[in-house]
Structures are given as C-alpha cells and as structure tokens.
Amino acid sequence: MSDIKNISREFLPEPTLRRLPWYLAYVNLLRANNVEYVSSTQISKELNVDASQIAKDLSFLNIKGKTRIGYEVKNLERELQDFLGFKKGHNAVILGVGSLGAALIQDSGLSNYGLNIVAGFDVNPNIVGTSICNVPIFDIHDLETQRQKYNAEIGIVAVPVDKAQEVADLMIKAGIKALWNFTPFRIRVGEGIVIQNTSIYSHLAVMYNRLGSQKDRQR
Amino acid sequence: MSDIKNISREFLPEPTLRRLPWYLAYVNLLRANNVEYVSSTQISKELNVDASQIAKDLSFLNIKGKTRIGYEVKNLERELQDFLGFKKGHNAVILGVGSLGAALIQDSGLSNYGLNIVAGFDVNPNIVGTSICNVPIFDIHDLETQRQKYNAEIGIVAVPVDKAQEVADLMIKAGIKALWNFTPFRIRVGEGIVIQNTSIYSHLAVMYNRLGSQKDRQR
C-alpha cells in the first residue's frame, strides 16, 4: 500500500501527465461498454498516440499488461483515477467572481475531477457576502484566514488581466501552493509554486487563423 | 490594404499563434499605463520568452520595430488584435448545455475575444426551448437548420465524454468547420476541419501531481 502511494506521488514529466487523462477518458468508455481488456496498440489507434509512448506512460502506474491480452480495463481505470487524484477532493479558492469566475463555480463537472471550489473572493461589494451554488464569496481581505480555514492549496486566477500578477502574489502570500491561471497574462511565481496556464485565448487564436486561411485557399 | 488582409490570413505555426495572445495581454497593460514604446527584449523579460523568438513571431504582423526604441505600443496592440481576429465576431454554437455548457454561455468574457455563442443544443426536453443570457437552446435535431441561419462555423463540444465523437460528427455534417473540444476525449476529424482541445483535466492532473510530490519532498 505504501508502495502505491510512493509511486503515485512521483514527479512525472508534464507530457505524460497531460496524456493520462485521455487514456482515462477512453478507458471509462470501454468499461461502460463492458470491454474487459485493452492493449496499448488499441489505445494507440483510438487516440493517435504512439503505442510505445502509451506503454511508457502507463509504466508509471502500479499496473502490468498481459502479453497479447493487454490491460484489464477495470484495473486500468481504477489505477488511472487513483494516480491522477481525480477521486480525491482538492480544495480550491477562486479569485475574481466576474463572469468567468462565476461560471467556473457553477460548473459542477470540475468536482468529478477532484476539484472542489470552496470559496470565492472579490472586491465588488455587490457580490461579497453572497454565494453562488452554496460557495460563499468573501472580500479579498479575508483571503488568508479563509484559505487556512478551508485548507485550500489551489488558487484559480479569474480576475481581469491587469490584476493577474497582483492577485497571484496575494494568493502565494496567503499560502496557496498551485495557481491555475485563466487570464492570458503570464504570471511569474517563485520556486516551489505550481502554475498552470489555460490557453482559452490561444485556442481561439488558432481556430480563427485556421478558418481564415482555409477561406483564402478556397477562393 | 489587401496586403494586410493576405498577411493576416497566413497559415501560422501553432506555437506562434499560442504566444501572440500573451504579447497582446502584456501590450494591453502597457497601453493602459500610457507606455509608448516596447522592445522585444522588454517583452522577453516580462514573459520569459526568448527575445529572438518574439521578434520572429511579430515579424508575421504588419508592423516594424524601430532600432533601440522598439515597437509603438498602440500600433502593436491594434495589429495584434486585428491579426488574432479578437475584434471580429465569430459565431459559435455549443452542443451540450449542462453545467459546463451553460457556464460557457454565461461567460461574457469570451465575446471580448471575438467569440459569440449564438445558440445552444441539447437533448434534454427540460432545457430545449429555454434560453440562457438570451442565447436560445434548441433540440439537437435542429442543428443543421439553425447553424445555417446563424452562419456559425465554430462548434463547442460540451457533452458527456461518451457522446463527444458522435456530436462532433453531427456538427461537421451540419457544416461546422472548427471544433473546440472541452471533453477529455480525443475527437477524430477529417482533413480541413480545425480542432482545438482544452486541457482542463490535464491541468488538474499536473497540479495534483506536483502538489503531491512536493509534500513527499517535505517529509
């Protein structure tokens, strides 16, 4: 048991960590369809990832495939879920309860992946003191106290872009260990702080450009 | 003028397209602070991207920096906005108006980046026929007709993971040219269709793993 825990806390390469949820999503489907075994070749075909890469990624897990049969689907699903921490609750606070912040609080889907947004913070007196889907919204001055109370380690940055760095610094000072940045601003953090940037705006940029260049070619 | 248009429709490398919104966010701040000029070296320092890379990325734009002074901030901001298409409206439909779909419709911030969600589609009779923030929700059978009516080229996939591929196929059949996938399922599309996958679950996987391995190191 302690072995499994040690493995699951290993510091994995980020590309591997990014691929594991894809495997989980596919394995979820297989299990729902009562499929018993899956090989890395099958996963490879379905997800368009090199089979040897998949075998390597899955080697970090406490699971072994059988020759010519592959991985037991149920086992693989459970191991991936445990490993990814999607079944464990991780408390998060959100800074900025504007349109995006409120939307994230309302997206109950995040809790299926282990993320519990426990509190929101804002400067707007009209929303401070209210709650959204039972998540209380506090004044930003209460960040440190409330963060401790809820034992939240993850901080979601959903403020206007010109406040992103300031708010990130505040969160780190208040004890936040990982920042999930939804602004297009590149936040700088010191060593030991985890940062993940969403790329919503980058996705839009890519889509618009590709749509535009397709039209040019059709002319 | 026609020159500018041709440039703006060029098929750019995806990494460049992903970085341009970062530059725009930074330049927005500079303009708000009445800064007149910025060099690629300054942007490099601020965003932690190689200065020569920045110069190369910006060379796709219709703008030239001056030696030792750099780029005019106002000009650079306008060129980036035009180039990225964030000022132009792009109509999108959303398939799946559950918790995430409804949240995306409610996030008015997306329209600041040129994305207009014009209609939602679902199979749930309780929400079909209603509207969210004035965005009408239709039955999925009306997808083709409504898509044409709204002239939407972008389709957002916000359905449960086991419906992702099916819904993507439906959208492409109905004339959608670009898919923005919010499920962790790897959707397959034919040639000429643009696909962008959000990595929400991957971000969570990375954060959970990093937080866990930090704790191990502290023990």
Side-chain angles (χ1 to χ4, degrees):
Chain A
M1 195 56 198
S2 74
D3 255 35
I4 297 174
K5 274 193 189 150
N6 283 334
I7 292 167
S8 76
R9 290 242 171 86
E10 210 176 317
F11 192 88
L12 255 69
E14 195 160 322
T16 295
L17 281 169
R18 293 188 170 278
R19 281 186 297 263
L20 291 178
W22 307 352
Y23 307 156
L24 177 58
Y26 178 54
V27 168
N28 284 158
L29 289 190
L30 294 178
R31 206 248 316 129
N33 291 320
N34 298 314
V35 177
E36 278 186 67
Y37 288 92
V38 65
S39 65
S40 39
T41 319
Q42 264 175 281
I43 305 179
S44 164
K45 258 188 178 170
E46 192 69 26
L47 303 185
N48 212 7
V49 176
D50 198 60
S52 63
Q53 183 64 67
I54 293 173
K56 208 177 151 190
D57 288 343
L58 294 180
S59 73
F60 288 104
L61 272 69
N62 190 39
I63 192 170
K64 276 204 172 62
K66 286 178 196 162
T67 324
R68 294 211 283 176
I69 302 180
Y71 303 93
E72 204 185 332
V73 167
K74 262 190 201 162
N75 249 333
L76 184 54
E77 185 186 38
R78 200 189 46 234
E79 285 295 326
L80 278 167
Q81 269 169 346
D82 285 356
F83 190 90
L84 289 169
F86 288 169
K87 284 285 162 187
K88 233 181 95 185
H90 299 82
N91 285 353
V93 295
I94 189 162
L95 260 86
V97 190
S99 132
L100 173 68
L104 287 169
I105 293 175
Q106 281 162 65
D107 177 15
S108 56
L110 289 172
S111 64
N112 294 336
Y113 293 86
L115 193 79
N116 304 326
I117 302 180
V118 291
F121 297 85
D122 208 290
V123 289
N124 181 347
N126 294 327
I127 52 172
V128 168
T130 67
S131 69
I132 298 173
C133 300
N134 293 320
V135 173
I137 314 302
F138 299 106
D139 187 282
I140 204 160
H141 289 108
D142 298 331
L143 177 61
E144 196 160 349
T145 334
Q146 296 296 340
R147 190 213 65 80
Q148 278 179 357
K149 192 182 120 194
Y150 285 106
N151 195 23
E153 290 191 305
I154 296 174
I156 303 172
V157 183
V159 293
V161 60
D162 59 325
K163 300 280 179 248
Q165 186 63 53
E166 187 186 330
V167 147
D169 294 340
L170 268 180
M171 291 216 255
I172 294 165
K173 208 173 144 255
I176 287 292
K177 299 293 179 210
L179 292 175
W180 194 9
N181 176 23
F182 276 82
T183 81
F185 188 77
R186 300 287 93 181
I187 291 172
R188 281 156 307 183
V189 296
E191 220 187 317
I193 302 293
V194 184
I195 180 142
Q196 287 286 295
N197 295 299
T198 48
S199 34
I200 284 189
Y201 314 99
S202 301
H203 291 149
L204 292 176
V206 175
M207 285 195 293
Y208 298 164
N209 178 267
R210 297 301 186 247
L211 285 172
S213 31
Q214 269 170 12
K215 262 176 221 156
D216 273 6
R217 260 176 282 146
Q218 280 157 12
R219 260 166 213 164
Chain B
M1 196 59 199
S2 74
D3 255 37
I4 298 176
K5 272 192 190 150
N6 282 334
I7 292 168
S8 75
R9 289 241 172 87
E10 209 176 320
F11 192 88
L12 256 69
E14 195 160 322
T16 295
L17 281 170
R18 294 188 169 278
R19 280 186 298 263
L20 291 178
W22 308 351
Y23 307 155
L24 176 58
Y26 177 54
V27 168
N28 284 158
L29 288 190
L30 294 179
R31 206 248 317 130
N33 292 319
N34 298 316
V35 177
E36 277 186 68
Y37 287 92
V38 65
S39 66
S40 39
T41 320
Q42 264 174 282
I43 305 180
S44 165
K45 259 190 177 168
E46 192 70 24
L47 303 185
N48 211 9
V49 176
D50 198 62
S52 63
Q53 182 65 66
I54 293 172
K56 208 176 151 192
D57 288 344
L58 294 180
S59 73
F60 288 102
L61 272 69
N62 191 37
I63 192 170
K64 276 206 172 61
K66 286 178 195 162
T67 324
R68 294 211 285 178
I69 303 181
Y71 303 92
E72 205 186 331
V73 167
K74 261 191 202 162
N75 249 333
L76 184 55
E77 186 185 38
R78 200 188 48 233
E79 285 296 325
L80 279 167
Q81 271 171 345
D82 283 356
F83 191 89
L84 288 168
F86 288 169
K87 284 284 162 188
K88 232 182 96 186
H90 298 82
N91 285 354
V93 295
I94 189 161
L95 260 86
V97 189
S99 131
L100 172 67
L104 287 169
I105 292 175
Q106 281 163 62
D107 177 15
S108 56
L110 289 172
S111 64
N112 294 335
Y113 292 86
L115 192 80
N116 304 326
I117 302 180
V118 290
F121 296 86
D122 209 288
V123 290
N124 182 347
N126 294 327
I127 52 173
V128 167
T130 66
S131 68
I132 298 174
C133 300
N134 293 321
V135 174
I137 314 302
F138 299 104
D139 187 281
I140 202 161
H141 289 107
D142 299 331
L143 177 61
E144 196 161 346
T145 333
Q146 296 296 339
R147 189 213 68 78
Q148 277 178 357
K149 192 182 120 194
Y150 285 106
N151 195 22
E153 291 192 305
I154 297 175
I156 303 173
V157 183
V159 293
V161 59
D162 59 325
K163 300 280 179 249
Q165 186 65 52
E166 189 185 329
V167 147
D169 294 341
L170 269 180
M171 290 215 257
I172 295 165
K173 209 174 142 257
I176 287 292
K177 298 294 179 210
L179 292 174
W180 195 9
N181 176 23
F182 277 83
T183 81
F185 188 76
R186 300 286 93 181
I187 292 173
R188 281 157 306 183
V189 296
E191 220 187 317
I193 301 294
V194 184
I195 181 144
Q196 286 287 297
N197 294 299
T198 48
S199 35
I200 284 190
Y201 314 99
S202 301
H203 291 148
L204 292 175
V206 175
M207 286 196 292
Y208 298 164
N209 178 267
R210 297 299 186 250
L211 285 172
S213 30
Q214 270 170 11
K215 262 175 221 154
D216 274 7
R217 262 177 280 146
Q218 282 158 9
R219 260 166 213 163

